[in-house]
Amino acid sequence: MSQTQSFPVVNDGDTFGFTVACPAGALVIGGGESITPAGGAVVAVRESRPSQVPGPAYNAWSSAGVKTSGTTGTFNLTIWAICST
């Protein structure tokens, strides 16, 4: 499963991120992310890891990015959570 969110990022050092949860009763076995920056902005992955939302341990995937330099813009962050029951 995947989800995409958009974030307006202005200043160098601004961070953005969110979490994608597996369906009820499933555990996350992997995941990843894709960051699409705007214009000439430079971004980097800050974290990409299994996480826990209410329920069993490691039932979600969390990712975050950081703007390191370049122009202001809106960034799209897509997170994939690979889940298994």
Side-chain angles (χ1 to χ4, degrees):
M1 63 185 327
S2 68
Q3 183 178 4
T4 300
Q5 291 188 14
S6 296
F7 300 89
V9 180
V10 177
N11 301 309
D12 292 354
D14 283 355
T15 61
F16 50 95
F18 68 101
T19 298
V20 173
C22 292
L27 298 176
V28 71
I29 58 172
E33 74 293 309
S34 173
I35 302 172
T36 306
V42 178
V43 296
V45 173
R46 183 173 166 213
E47 68 177 12
S48 182
R49 61 178 176 80
S51 59
Q52 182 179 357
V53 295
Y58 301 116
N59 59 352
W61 197 267
S62 296
S63 292
V66 60
K67 178 181 178 276
T68 57
S69 64
T71 59
T72 298
T74 299
F75 300 82
N76 292 322
L77 172 60
T78 301
I79 299 176
W80 289 270
I82 302 167
C83 306
S84 178
T85 54

